[in-house]
Amino acid sequence: MKRLLATLAFGLLATTGLAHADGELNIYNWGNYTSPDVIKKFEDKYNVKVTITDYDSNDTALAKVRQGGTGYDIAVPSQTFVPIWIQEGLVLETNPGQMENFKNVAPEWANPDFDPGRKYTVPWAWGTIGVVVNTAVYKGPSNSWGIIFNTPDELKGKVNVVPEMNDVMFAATKYVGGAQCTDDKEVLKKVRDTLVAAKPNWIAMEYNTIEKMGAGDFKATSDWNGSALRQRLANPEIQFFYPKEGYGLWSDNVVVLKEAKNVENAKLFQNFIMDPENAAGLSAFHRYANGITGSDKFMPEDMKTAPEVIIPADVKPLGELQHLCSPEVQDLYTKIWTELQK
């Protein structure tokens, strides 16, 4: 009986992330998104050397992993891409729902449509997509996608668009009055015409918004809320706005790659970041909410009431979690996007 109990205990340790570990872990993540302090804590706890490689978009990450031979153990795709990674067999079924710290995952994130039962993913961060404006330059109403798609004169030639295709297509579709993932040809024609007409008023389509909004190179941009918070903390005149036409919600999620060489360390990391204190440490760096219950008490004070993070009640109903559209709609999006890049 004692031997049986010992065996069970060892199995529990191995599956919940309490086991001793050593070796390496190679993480492939969005740039400027991983807390050095939390990584060091993981390294010290498990005697694991962590290496982080950055990417700039979901498309970049997916293309790289599809090639194979990356040497990465972990990646952090958004919810609109997770089904693709799963369907193409790029990730391992690590069963995070059975890990010790899964009990900390907030109910609304415990059984998402993009990974029912959380068989592959754990929450990294979640947030919103809206409009960021330097209010010293433009003092008019900014709670509209019109800042991007029908740019006011004061901002023409000063607006950036973060070039994440699904985010831009979602926003443009909402702006013209359409529904997410619509296949209505008339609506999509309006989206295409709106984007093509708007582009001459943009200065750039770049991801590097924190630095360039801070430097004044951009006066407005589409952006994610945590990025906007970092900008406001550096310059209070930079403000985040929730578009009245509707805005997208997103989540990024940690997966273990099928080709991972350090699978057990990767599982340990999945469990590790579902600990409330560790999740709060990640949020303190990247400035997004995390989907882990109990992390609030460890969060920085300036995040506990930040309007970029705590969605105001009057605009909360306007938010909608973005989904992966059908292959047919994605093909139409890609055609419009390709034309926009010319």
Side-chain angles (χ1 to χ4, degrees):
M1 185 66 176
K2 286 183 180 179
R3 181 175 179 181
L4 174 60
L5 290 174
T7 301
L8 289 173
F10 179 80
L12 181 63
L13 287 171
T15 57
T16 59
L18 294 176
H20 172 75
D22 54 40
E24 300 178 349
L25 181 66
N26 297 300
I27 298 175
Y28 192 37
N29 200 357
W30 298 77
N32 200 15
Y33 203 31
T34 310
S35 165
D37 292 339
V38 174
I39 293 300
K40 186 176 188 308
K41 184 177 178 182
F42 178 80
E43 289 180 319
D44 291 346
K45 182 177 178 68
Y46 294 113
N47 192 31
V48 171
K49 173 61 179 175
V50 177
T51 301
I52 299 170
T53 304
D54 295 344
Y55 56 83
D56 62 1
S57 72
N58 276 300
D59 288 311
T60 298
L62 179 59
K64 181 73 171 178
V65 173
R66 275 173 169 164
Q67 291 173 1
T70 64
Y72 306 136
D73 302 304
I74 277 175
V76 192
S78 299
Q79 86 288 346
T80 50
F81 277 69
V82 166
I84 300 173
W85 291 62
I86 294 173
Q87 291 162 13
E88 295 190 11
L90 300 174
V91 294
L92 286 175
E93 189 172 330
T94 55
N95 292 310
Q98 298 177 16
M99 293 179 180
E100 178 196 18
N101 284 334
F102 187 78
K103 65 182 182 292
N104 300 315
V105 175
E108 62 268 29
W109 294 110
N111 188 34
D113 291 344
F114 56 85
D115 180 16
R118 287 284 186 183
K119 294 180 179 179
Y120 298 89
T121 68
V122 303
W124 176 267
W126 72 270
T128 57
I129 306 161
V131 175
V132 183
V133 176
N134 187 324
T135 59
V137 176
Y138 179 70
K139 301 184 183 301
S142 298
N143 63 331
S144 170
W145 287 117
I147 295 291
I148 307 299
F149 303 126
N150 187 21
T151 304
D153 289 342
E154 298 96 317
L155 293 173
K156 287 181 178 177
K158 304 170 184 176
V159 172
N160 176 65
V161 174
V162 174
E164 193 72 22
M165 181 184 77
N166 288 327
D167 293 353
V168 176
M169 295 300 294
F170 178 96
T173 301
K174 288 295 181 182
Y175 182 67
V176 303
Q180 177 180 186
C181 291
T182 182
D183 60 359
D184 186 310
K185 299 298 193 297
E186 289 302 313
V187 172
L188 290 173
K189 184 179 184 302
K190 287 181 183 177
V191 168
R192 177 264 176 205
D193 293 347
T194 296
L195 288 169
V196 171
K199 187 179 179 183
N201 295 322
W202 304 341
I203 188 174
M205 295 179 71
E206 294 185 16
Y207 288 92
N208 189 15
T209 56
I210 296 174
E211 179 180 329
K212 293 201 171 182
M213 281 292 291
D217 297 334
F218 305 152
K219 304 301 183 183
T221 185
S222 63
D223 213 347
W224 302 300
N225 58 312
S227 171
L229 172 56
R230 292 165 84 168
Q231 294 167 42
R232 176 174 62 81
L233 292 174
N235 179 358
E237 292 179 319
I238 297 175
Q239 298 288 319
F240 180 76
F241 297 90
Y242 296 88
K244 61 186 179 183
E245 299 88 1
Y247 59 90
L249 290 92
W250 55 269
S251 72
D252 289 337
N253 305 270
V254 173
V255 297
V256 178
L257 302 187
K258 195 67 161 288
E259 65 175 16
K261 303 298 184 186
N262 303 289
V263 173
E264 294 309 313
N265 289 344
K267 289 180 181 179
L268 284 174
F269 189 76
Q270 283 189 316
N271 187 64
F272 180 80
I273 64 171
M274 291 189 288
D275 174 86
E277 188 170 359
N278 297 333
L282 293 173
S283 288
F285 180 82
H286 57 55
R287 296 294 184 165
Y288 295 100
N290 56 57
I292 301 299
T293 301
S295 65
D296 289 357
K297 64 182 180 181
F298 301 106
M299 296 282 266
E301 289 299 319
D302 59 12
M303 289 185 70
K304 292 180 179 179
T305 57
E308 298 91 347
V309 178
I310 310 301
I311 304 173
D314 60 332
V315 299
K316 202 165 190 176
L318 302 175
E320 186 177 342
L321 184 66
Q322 294 179 205
H323 301 288
L324 176 67
C325 302
S326 69
E328 294 76 19
V329 171
Q330 287 294 136
D331 285 345
L332 292 170
Y333 280 8
T334 300
K335 288 178 182 177
I336 294 171
W337 192 250
T338 300
E339 183 176 355
L340 190 64
Q341 305 305 303
K342 294 179 181 176

